[in-house]
Each structure stands twice: as C-alpha cells, then as structure tokens.
Amino acid sequence: QVQLVESGGGLVQAGGSLRLSCAASGIIFGCETMGWYRQAPGNQRDLVASLTRLGRTNYADSVKGRFTISRDNAKNTVYLQMNSLKPEDTAVYYCNADCRIMAGLRNYWGQGTQVTVSS
C-alpha cells in the first residue's frame, strides 16, 4: 500500500522559513507529478506548487518567488522550501502525488501537516 508521509510543519514567525518533506513509500515504480496543496479553515484546498518527474514546475501566484519545490526521484520524495512566510500562508499543507503501482498510475494524498505563521 502506498503512503505519503509528510514532515516539517510547525509554528514560525512572519518572515521565517520552513521546509516540508513528503516521502512516498510502498510498492512504487516511480511517481510522476508530485506537489503540495493547502487548505485554511473555511477555504477550499488549493494548489501551492507541483513538479513533474521531468522538472516542470507550477506555482500559485501567491507563493511565486518565496516557495521552491524540489524532488528526489530516487527516493520518491518531494520538498517545499518556504521562505518569507506570511500569516496568510497559515494552513494545513497536503502532499499529493501520482505514483505508479502494479495496477497503474494512482493518485495519493498525505495526511496533512499544519503550518502556522504568526504576525
């Protein structure tokens, strides 16, 4: 069974930095697009950043220039470096990945990690 395990969330002051990690485990023959979404209370879950296996990135306008997504394909792990954090970045951050298993390509979600930015 494939699992996405996230780490790196926490509490930080405005202007600070955090690095999120998400590792895919289980019977996996590689992951295609991996990314991060976030959801604040009362809001929908929105894309923060994504990265394809071949290196194509996509960022939400609100995080461009502040967040950087990267990945280690050998480890099926994706990272999100978050700099210059703002209170409005406060949310639960979810990892998402399209990973290939014996049955084909499947989409998976992590359990979420809380990021809180204080002003």
Side-chain angles (χ1 to χ4, degrees):
Q1 184 175 352
V2 175
Q3 285 188 315
L4 301 185
V5 179
E6 300 145 340
S7 61
L11 173 64
V12 65
Q13 288 189 329
S17 298
L18 284 174
R19 188 187 192 220
L20 305 183
S21 299
C22 171
S25 63
I27 304 174
I28 300 172
F29 300 99
C31 294
E32 301 301 323
T33 300
M34 302 184 78
W36 293 92
Y37 289 70
R38 66 186 181 187
Q39 186 170 21
N43 290 355
Q44 65 183 19
R45 191 175 297 187
D46 292 323
L47 175 70
V48 177
S50 65
L51 175 59
T52 69
R53 170 182 283 274
L54 297 181
R56 180 171 295 178
T57 59
N58 184 28
Y59 290 95
D61 288 342
S62 60
V63 307
K64 285 180 180 177
R66 300 188 298 122
F67 291 9
T68 303
I69 190 169
S70 61
R71 61 188 285 175
D72 184 333
N73 289 333
K75 297 180 179 179
N76 293 315
T77 299
V78 63
Y79 307 96
L80 185 68
Q81 178 66 44
M82 304 185 293
N83 298 329
S84 302
L85 282 161
K86 304 175 181 180
E88 50 263 44
D89 294 318
T90 296
V92 178
Y93 284 69
Y94 295 91
C95 178
N96 180 268
D98 292 321
C99 299
R100 196 170 299 280
I101 59 173
M102 288 290 288
L105 196 65
R106 297 289 186 268
N107 185 260
Y108 298 94
W109 287 95
Q111 80 283 358
T113 185
Q114 178 70 46
V115 171
T116 303
V117 184
S118 63
S119 58

